[in-house]
Amino acid sequence: MDLKPKVAFICVHNSCRSQIAEALGKHLAADVFESYSAGTEIAPRINQDAVRLMKQIYGIDMEQSQYSKTISQIPKPDLTISMGCDVGCPYTGKDFDDNWGLADPTGKSDEVFVDIMKEIEERIKILVRRCAER
């Protein structure tokens, strides 16, 4: 039995982009890789605009199975992806395999959030293809 790779989506606060990536990874790629998200700091709750829009667009309730967590609270990842930390990304114990360089949509319009969600969706699909080629 082949073990699926563990993919960690990393951001400083683990409240928005990394949470979206974890949710979309679980939704779109559960048969290919395990998705986790983490940060160096935790937020009291997941960004509520992200929660609302993920429910609306994808039918995913992130608050049902996800919460803000630190890197020490997830399994050691096989792949680590930075969401694009403007102030320096947290260290995960290994170099990042990719930096998606996504702007933080917090405090911005729904349109900006949706654009970021769609970008993450596309990058997850690319990651699925990369993992399938291994």
Side-chain angles (χ1 to χ4, degrees), residues 19-112:
Q19 291 285 351
I20 292 167
E22 177 183 354
L24 287 175
K26 288 176 178 176
H27 183 69
L28 299 169
D31 57 331
V32 178
F33 58 80
E34 295 178 26
S35 296
Y36 300 91
S37 67
T40 50
E41 302 172 20
I42 57 171
R45 64 185 186 171
I46 300 172
N47 180 295
Q48 293 300 289
D49 289 322
V51 169
R52 174 177 54 81
L53 291 167
M54 286 293 287
K55 276 184 197 173
Q56 208 173 58
I57 295 168
Y58 297 98
I60 299 170
D61 186 351
M62 292 193 302
E63 291 181 311
Q64 290 293 78
S65 61
Q66 292 177 223
Y67 57 94
S68 185
K69 53 211 161 295
T70 60
I71 294 159
S72 64
Q73 293 174 286
I74 64 171
K76 183 178 178 183
D78 298 301
L79 292 170
T80 54
I81 298 174
S82 164
M83 302 312 292
C85 311
D86 299 329
V87 294
C89 284
Y91 184 62
T92 64
K94 65 188 274 306
D95 289 338
F96 284 98
D97 295 290
D98 202 353
N99 180 347
W100 287 359
L102 301 170
D104 186 356
T106 300
K108 306 266 182 358
S109 70
D110 283 2
E111 182 179 324
V112 171

